[in-house]
Every structure is written in structure tokens, then in C-alpha cells.
Amino acid sequence: CEAIEWKSPGGESVHGLLYYPNLARHESTGLPPLIVQIHGGPTSQVNAGWRAESQYFATRGYAVLWVNHRGSTGYGRAYRDKLRGAWGVIDVEDAASGATYLAETGLVDPQKFVIMGGSAGGYSVLQSLVVKPGFYRAGVSLYGISDQFALVAETHKFEARYNDSIMGVLPDAAAIYRERSPIFHAELIRDPLILFHGADDNNVPPNQSEMIVAALKRGGVPHEFHLFAGEGHGFRKPETIETMYRAIEAFLTKYVIYQG
């Protein structure tokens, strides 16, 4: 992988890791599609190294950009503190600006962006599809957050106060929570979306995905939903992981590669 840096819309530095496919192994003469990956946390980071999920897609012709958006650890306190009060805003901006940067440098196909993430990264996926409809050809949400109010009420004790610093303290910040909860704006989603959730997830309960699925059905948006019995927050069973990646590949082939 290659560590890269680009500028946010406001001119601030953003960091990420790029996994680029070996184009000599593929028959296509065009530029590769891009999967923009958003880490969980949301204040964690993705370290450089071999990643099975990135290799899965890179060996199938996709470029993969892991976005260590502003607010991620590993780049100093000032960079980490950028997320304070800004979750659902700068993570969305940094994902899109990273994709745009790679397209402008001629490395990826600007018509074939995908956004993918799990947990907090899944929230960034849903929020991106709400805020920037049409920018991505498809989204992939793994146990993502759709309702910030419900998350605060239902998540486990360890992360119960997480949102206070990165979104605001309730009830004073109620308007921000509503503005940045995808479920309240799900009618704006028009891009194909595939969602995965564990039925036993106590960190982000499965109703967070189920609410979005119901909205997608009402809006006639192409989608798939996979609910895995016996799985919690993050999938452990080999058969679950295999099913998930095969489903993602088929979904992206239909809606991104062939643009069905």
C-alpha cells in the first residue's frame, strides 16, 4: 500500500492509504473503480500493512482507498481533535475529496466510486449517500449507524457518552443529532446500497440497518440486506465473511461495473 495525502475542501491535509490493483493482470483498458473505505471508531485509524479485505478487492481490479479522515489518531492531537463536534461532516468531506483527488490525478474512474465502511464507518457511508447523492455509484454499510438518538439510547455503557465530544451533548444538540442522522433524511438516498448486520449486535443494534432498509423499500432504491444470526458487532464466522464478500462483489458488479 501507499500512504497518500490530499487537501480537504477547506485546504487542510487529509491522510489515507491506497491499495492499487495490478492492472497488468486485468483485461480492462479503462481506469479501475475505486472503493473508499472508512474505518470504525470513528477516532481510530488504519495502519499501513497487508489487509485481507483490501487484497480481496485489489486482486479483482478495484483500487481501495482507506481514509484516515480528520479526527483519526496517529497524526497528532490537533488532527485528532478536528472531529470534535464535526462527526458526520468532515468524515464525509474527506472521503469525497480523497476520491476526487485520485480521479483528478488519473488513477481511478470518476464514474465508478463506491463507499464502504463498518460501524462508525458504516454511518459515514449512510451519511455520504444522504449528503452527496449521485457522487458514489453504490454504498456498502456494515452494521452502520442510521439514528444517532437511538444509538445513544441503546448502545453499551462503554460508548454511551462517545457522542458528547464528536457530535454534542443532548438535549442541547438535538438539532445536530437530527440533521446528522441518515434515517431522518433517507428519502435523499438514491444510490444502490447493500447492508450487513449481526442479529446479536449490542453495540449498534440491527434496527439501525432495518430502519434504513424500510426507507429504501419505500423509495424504491436498489438494495440488499443481509442479517446474520449468531453474529455481533463485527463478523467472526468464516461462512459469514465469505457470504458477505461474495455478496458485495456481486452487488458491485451489477451496479458499478455494469452500472445496471
Side-chain angles (χ1 to χ4, degrees):
C1 71
E2 175 187 359
I4 65 171
E5 181 179 334
W6 64 93
K7 296 298 182 181
S8 72
E12 296 184 338
S13 294
V14 184
H15 300 275
L17 300 172
L18 176 63
Y19 293 77
Y20 203 70
N22 183 347
L23 297 182
R25 296 180 56 187
H26 302 279
E27 296 180 1
S28 174
T29 57
L31 294 170
L34 173 67
I35 298 178
V36 180
Q37 286 260 24
I38 313 298
H39 63 66
T43 54
S44 60
Q45 71 172 126
V46 177
N47 296 314
W50 189 88
R51 304 186 67 86
E53 64 270 56
S54 300
Q55 294 303 320
Y56 181 92
F57 292 112
T59 55
R60 287 157 174 79
Y62 292 88
V64 179
L65 173 63
W66 279 94
V67 180
N68 280 327
H69 53 74
R70 288 168 291 167
S72 302
T73 56
Y75 301 94
R77 175 175 290 183
Y79 191 82
R80 185 197 64 195
D81 287 349
K82 294 288 184 181
L83 199 63
R84 289 186 175 273
W87 191 27
V89 178
I90 63 173
D91 47 317
V92 171
E93 290 179 355
D94 292 353
S97 62
T100 299
Y101 167 75
L102 292 178
E104 290 178 344
T105 53
L107 290 174
V108 301
D109 188 334
Q111 300 301 316
K112 295 181 179 178
F113 294 158
V114 177
I115 186 165
M116 175 175 173
S119 191
Y123 165 68
S124 297
V125 169
L126 300 177
Q127 183 71 349
S128 293
L129 297 186
V130 166
V131 174
K132 300 183 72 65
F135 184 83
Y136 298 98
R137 292 294 305 184
V140 182
S141 174
L142 284 65
Y143 32 91
I145 300 156
S146 65
D147 184 342
Q148 293 290 352
F149 292 105
L151 178 71
V152 171
E154 298 173 357
T155 193
H156 59 97
K157 183 178 180 180
F158 179 71
E159 291 185 333
R161 311 301 299 184
Y162 203 173
N163 276 17
D164 288 2
S165 63
I166 57 179
M167 191 160 288
V169 180
L170 291 171
D172 293 345
I176 294 174
Y177 277 62
R178 178 171 291 274
E179 177 187 354
R180 300 185 197 167
S181 290
I183 191 59
F184 296 113
H185 315 283
E187 74 280 358
L188 299 177
I189 297 177
R190 68 169 190 249
D191 306 299
L193 177 61
I194 185 169
L195 306 95
F196 302 88
H197 223 113
D200 300 334
D201 192 336
N202 293 320
N203 293 32
V204 180
N207 66 341
Q208 291 276 349
S209 286
E210 291 166 349
M211 289 186 290
I212 285 289
V213 170
L216 296 175
K217 288 179 179 178
R218 290 193 299 269
V221 178
H223 68 278
E224 287 184 19
F225 179 45
H226 298 258
L227 183 66
F228 295 115
E231 293 283 12
H233 195 65
F235 305 141
R236 303 290 184 267
K237 299 177 182 178
E239 59 270 26
T240 298
I241 296 170
E242 180 180 358
T243 297
M244 180 187 72
Y245 280 107
R246 289 189 183 278
I248 294 172
E249 184 180 5
F251 192 81
L252 298 187
T253 297
K254 180 177 181 180
Y255 291 107
V256 178
I257 303 304
Y258 297 136
Q259 301 190 24

